């Protein structure tokens, strides 16, 4: 599964909760977390693993943060090979968290079985939903952080994205993206 979304959408938190649920169901989970590299120093924070403290201690989970090192598209130059290595190593679920910062970070969509776009309740209106790029590549759009005071805005954004997705050209004859 590939996961992307804007900063603050809760990608790492979602992966930790989802990953723990999978390991409790006896799956072996690998997480490939891609972090941006600095254009100035070339360094990368690689902080996503620190947000997944419970999952990082789980013996049925493996988390590998990797820097982009200037590669565009939200992944690293070797992400596809890393996915294959994880599968070969016995991990039956591989989660790839992209850099996830904009409309063009969807290279992972061609590497995975399902591409999930995570959005916060304030993820834009229907006009945002029909922009070409990452929205039309998503197999699933998940509105995250939809609790408490954010339930109403989340439902509104969900309805707007459902409407917007109807205007996009279908990528598959058998699957219609869900929101």
């Amino acid at each position: 599964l590939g996961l992307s979304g804007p900063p603050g959408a809760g990608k790492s938190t979602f992966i930790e909760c989802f990953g723990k649920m999978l390991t409790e169901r006896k799956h072996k989970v690998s997480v490939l977390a891609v972090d941006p590299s600095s254009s100035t120093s070339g360094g990368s924070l690689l902080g996503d693993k620190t947000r997944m403290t419970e999952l990082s201690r789980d013996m049925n989970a493996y988390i590998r943060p990797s820097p982009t090192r200037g590669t565009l598209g939200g992944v690293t130059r070797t992400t596809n090979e890393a996915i294959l290595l994880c599968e070969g190593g016995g991990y039956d679920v591989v989660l790839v968290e992209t850099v996830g910062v904009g409309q063009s970070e969807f290279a992972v969509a061609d590497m995975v079985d399902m591409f999930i776009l995570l959005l916060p309740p304030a993820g834009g209106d229907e006009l945002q939903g029909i922009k070409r790029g990452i929205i039309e590549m998503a197999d699933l759009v998940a509105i995250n952080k939809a609790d408490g005071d954010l339930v109403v805005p989340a439902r509104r954004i969900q309805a707007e994205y459902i409407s917007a997705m109807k205007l996009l050209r279908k990528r598959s004859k058998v699957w219609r993206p869900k929101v």
Side-chain angles (χ1 to χ4, degrees):
L1 301 173
L3 292 108
S4 193
K11 294 180 296 293
S12 296
T13 304
F14 174 84
I15 289 171
E16 175 161 67
C17 292
F18 187 56
K20 289 295 295 175
M21 182 198 74
L22 290 168
T23 59
E24 288 169 4
R25 294 181 180 183
K26 307 301 181 218
H27 289 280
K28 287 190 68 171
V29 177
S30 176
V31 178
L32 303 173
V34 182
D35 283 325
S37 296
S38 168
S39 57
T40 307
S41 69
S44 189
L45 192 56
L46 304 177
D48 287 320
K49 188 173 183 175
T50 62
R51 291 191 196 105
M52 301 178 210
T53 54
E54 287 183 43
L55 190 60
S56 67
R57 291 189 297 254
D58 192 315
M59 294 305 292
N60 288 313
Y62 168 73
I63 303 173
R64 171 72 175 145
S66 299
T68 59
R69 293 194 177 113
T71 302
L72 300 177
V75 294
T76 71
R77 186 177 51 78
T78 58
T79 297
N80 198 49
E81 290 83 357
I83 292 170
L84 295 173
L85 284 170
C86 291
E87 289 173 340
Y91 292 93
D92 59 326
V93 179
V94 179
L95 305 172
V96 182
E97 178 183 357
T98 73
V99 170
V101 291
Q103 289 288 323
S104 63
E105 282 73 28
F106 55 78
V108 74
D110 293 327
M111 300 175 191
V112 296
D113 296 319
M114 177 172 263
F115 179 52
I116 302 168
L117 178 61
L118 227 59
L119 296 173
D125 56 17
E126 186 173 339
L127 198 55
Q128 291 292 103
I130 61 172
K131 281 185 178 178
R132 300 302 181 240
I134 199 166
I135 302 293
E136 64 186 349
M137 298 304 292
D139 296 307
L140 177 69
V141 176
I143 312 302
N144 201 17
K145 301 182 177 184
D147 58 352
D149 292 340
L150 297 176
V151 170
V152 172
R155 291 285 182 213
R156 182 179 48 80
I157 293 297
Q158 178 189 25
E160 289 174 356
Y161 272 86
I162 288 170
S163 177
M165 296 294 270
K166 292 176 186 172
L167 302 175
L168 300 176
R169 195 169 93 196
K170 315 271 182 292
R171 288 183 46 212
S172 169
K173 293 179 182 176
V174 296
W175 177 256
R176 296 208 176 189
K178 308 288 185 215
V179 181

